[in-house]
Amino acid sequence: MPVVRSSEGTVHEIHGARFVSYAAPRTGSEELCAWRGEIPAGTKAPAHTVSREEVFHLLTGELLITLDGRTERVTAGDTVVVNAGAAFAVENPTDRTATSWVTTSVGLTAELADGTRITPPWAN
């Protein structure tokens, strides 16, 4: 039985945010990936288009989420479903770090507005 202890999460940092990966092929998951995101106060991550559906659940804090040009304020307990092909951006306009839990399928890639394609190591 694959059990990933909280201390065994793999940490990645990009665009001012911190991602702690728990479920991925390297930890025994065949189809899904899951990670905790830590979005510091004042962070504005660049918009990106995702190749696979993501389920983004806000654990703590408050964020502005822009999905296909529509911006919504989300608060702790809210869940955003990001469909494959959607343009997605996250901003933390508050003075405290927000934390999220994200689940997607293995193989997720993201494309930035300038055409740069990213293969996030925490989702593969």
Side-chain angles (χ1 to χ4, degrees):
M1 166 176 49
V3 175
V4 181
R5 305 290 176 196
S6 62
S7 62
E8 297 171 336
T10 303
V11 177
H12 305 277
E13 294 186 18
I14 186 170
H15 301 296
R18 182 174 189 246
F19 302 88
V20 185
S21 173
Y22 296 98
R26 66 166 184 76
T27 59
S29 181
E30 295 179 5
E31 297 180 17
L32 299 175
C33 295
W35 61 88
R36 186 182 70 237
E38 300 169 3
I39 304 100
T43 298
K44 186 172 184 177
H48 56 284
T49 301
V50 295
S51 65
R52 308 220 184 216
E53 185 175 70
E54 286 185 1
V55 177
F56 181 100
H57 180 76
L58 193 59
L59 298 169
T60 66
E62 183 176 314
L63 296 171
L64 293 177
I65 302 288
T66 302
L67 190 58
D68 285 337
R70 180 177 171 200
T71 302
E72 292 275 344
R73 181 171 299 273
V74 297
T75 59
D78 292 345
T79 299
V80 178
V81 176
V82 182
N83 291 314
F88 178 58
V90 176
E91 178 180 357
N92 183 348
T94 74
D95 60 357
R96 62 180 248 216
T97 296
T99 58
S100 63
W101 185 260
V102 180
T103 303
T104 188
S105 54
V106 170
L108 172 88
T109 61
E111 186 173 323
L112 301 177
D114 68 3
T116 302
R117 184 171 293 272
I118 297 172
T119 302
W122 56 88
N124 289 282

